[in-house]
């Protein structure tokens, strides 16, 4: 293989694998036939044309009519996964509240029935939608709505407009609202079966640990004295989310589900405070989130390859 052909083949690696299998040799033949004698580098026009062609092929597959079913299934997976993310967030919030209470009051607080109820009722309200989705039981979804209404009645601040805009509370209401919809849509609780059960067993504890570290940085570090901390507070959470996103990106459905969940999941790491932080900090936060997602997707794609046609 001469240097020119090798460089053309590296450019063609931008195209989907199955597209290359069908057309690569033909495209290489046309490109080499138009090359000048002794030429070793592709001309800029050919480079631009090949890259633009790769972008168009990926675009047609990602957003064209052929991808409609993948988007539909990806949206179903994303909606079905949302209560799981909210359960993780609720567990972390209650763990941090417990840790703070023990820190300031003492371990005796754990023996107070009122405190145990205060901590556990939020977890129970968040767990019911997860059970409804994972088991496909409509009555559990309705029970989850009742539990959330009772919980909101005891804590009416959860329904205040300012509270709903906060990343720790608004998503909870969304999860509780979505749970009955999910349970009454067979496509949604069928979609959750696309995620291997062992993935939840591995990712769940890691997610709790990562999000606890991310939120703990904000709670226990004096951010006004360490403004730079705000730019990195979500990194532990993103480190956990990135492998999950990378695993999801092995398939066309998973890529779309990960894309739909990207910003909501990032908000759980307290990226939801973006309107209230300096522009430089906001860009740093978004940059961390985007790099973590992209790196996991690329590494997974290179090591194992997609399990479904690219798109």
């Amino acid at each position: 293989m001469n240097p020119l052909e090798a460089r053309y083949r590296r450019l063609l690696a931008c195209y989907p694998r199955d597209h290359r299998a069908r057309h690569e040799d033909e495209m290489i033949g046309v490109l080499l036939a138009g090359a000048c004698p002794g030429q070793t580098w592709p001309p800029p026009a050919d480079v631009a044309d090949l890259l633009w062609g790769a972008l168009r092929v990926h675009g047609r597959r990602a957003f064209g009519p052929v991808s409609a079913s993948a988007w539909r299934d990806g949206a179903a997976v994303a909606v079905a996964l949302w209560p799981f993310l909210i359960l993780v967030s609720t567990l972390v919030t209650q763990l941090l509240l417990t840790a703070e209470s023990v820190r300031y009051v003492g371990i005796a607080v754990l023996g107070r029935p009122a405190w145990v109820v205060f901590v556990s009722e939020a977890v129970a309200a968040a767990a019911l939608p997860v059970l409804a989705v994972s088991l496909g039981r409509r009555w559990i979804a309705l029970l989850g709505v009742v539990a959330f209404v009772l919980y909101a009645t005891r804590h009416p601040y959860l329904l205040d407009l300012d509270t709903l805009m906060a990343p720790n509370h608004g998503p909870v209401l969304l999860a509780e609202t979505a749970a009955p919809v999910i349970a009454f849509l067979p496509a949604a609780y069928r979609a959750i079966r696309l995620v291997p059960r062992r993935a939840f067993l591995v990712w769940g504890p890691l997610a709790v640990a990562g999000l606890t570290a991310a939120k703990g940085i904000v709670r226990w570090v004096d951010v006004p004295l360490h403004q730079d901390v705000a730019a990195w507070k979500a990194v532990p959470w993103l480190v956990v989310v990135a492998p999950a996103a990378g695993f999801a990106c092995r398939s066309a459905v998973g890529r779309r589900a990960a894309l739909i969940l990207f910003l909501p999941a990032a908000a759980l790491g307290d990226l939801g405070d973006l309107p209230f932080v300096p522009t430089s900090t906001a860009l740093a936060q978004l940059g961390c989130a985007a790099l973590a997602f992209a790196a996991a997707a690329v590494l997974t794609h290179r090591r194992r390859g997609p399990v479904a046609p690219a798109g």
Side-chain angles (χ1 to χ4, degrees):
M1 182 185 302
N2 61 52
L4 180 61
E5 180 180 350
R7 292 184 174 106
Y8 272 131
R9 289 191 183 276
R10 281 197 290 271
L11 285 171
L12 290 175
C14 297
Y15 286 79
R17 183 177 301 176
D18 59 325
H19 185 277
R20 295 200 308 272
R22 291 194 302 269
H23 304 293
E24 184 172 15
D25 290 338
E26 179 184 353
M27 294 173 73
I28 287 291
V30 172
L31 291 167
L32 293 178
C36 299
Q39 182 179 338
T40 58
W41 287 90
D46 282 353
V47 174
D49 186 60
L50 289 173
L51 293 178
W52 175 242
L55 184 62
R56 285 187 300 169
V57 171
H58 282 292
R60 285 196 300 268
R61 293 186 175 209
F63 302 104
V66 70
S67 68
S69 61
W71 276 109
R72 184 172 58 250
D73 293 341
V77 172
V79 171
L81 284 174
W82 185 242
F84 290 85
L85 288 173
I86 295 304
L87 177 59
V88 169
S89 179
T90 303
L91 282 170
V92 168
T93 300
Q94 300 308 98
L95 281 174
L96 291 174
L97 286 174
T98 302
E100 287 184 345
S101 297
V102 171
R103 178 184 179 186
Y104 294 111
V105 179
I107 198 168
V109 72
L110 301 179
R112 298 178 182 177
W115 176 254
V116 173
V117 171
F118 174 77
V119 171
S120 60
E121 63 182 358
V123 176
L128 286 170
V130 172
L131 289 174
V133 173
S134 58
L135 300 178
R137 297 291 185 267
R138 299 175 180 179
W139 67 270
I140 300 179
L142 297 177
L143 181 61
V145 173
V146 173
F148 181 74
V149 169
L150 295 175
Y151 181 59
T153 301
R154 285 171 50 82
H155 308 281
Y157 68 89
L158 291 174
L159 301 180
D160 291 344
L161 182 59
D162 291 341
T163 303
L164 290 177
M165 296 298 291
N168 293 329
H169 299 295
V172 177
L173 178 60
L174 181 59
E176 299 293 342
T177 304
V181 178
I182 295 169
F184 280 90
L185 287 176
Y189 58 78
R190 280 200 304 268
I192 206 66
R193 305 296 194 275
L194 298 176
V195 183
R197 195 169 297 274
R198 67 179 180 277
F200 286 113
L201 296 178
V202 172
W203 183 81
L206 289 176
V208 172
L211 193 54
T212 300
K215 292 184 179 293
I217 289 173
V218 181
R219 284 176 177 266
W220 293 329
V221 173
D222 192 353
V223 175
L225 297 180
H226 303 86
Q227 288 292 339
D228 55 323
V229 171
W232 311 109
K233 60 185 178 179
V235 169
W237 169 240
L238 293 173
V239 169
V240 175
V241 171
F247 181 85
C249 286
R250 294 171 59 201
S251 69
V253 171
R255 283 190 287 278
R256 285 157 177 80
L259 183 62
I260 293 169
L261 284 173
F262 173 69
L263 285 179
L268 294 180
D270 278 351
L271 292 186
D273 295 333
L274 290 177
F276 310 104
V277 298
T279 301
S280 59
T281 300
L283 292 175
Q285 291 178 343
L286 289 175
C288 287
L291 286 175
F293 179 88
V298 169
L299 289 175
T300 302
H301 182 84
R302 285 184 176 178
R303 288 179 181 177
R304 297 192 177 186
V307 297

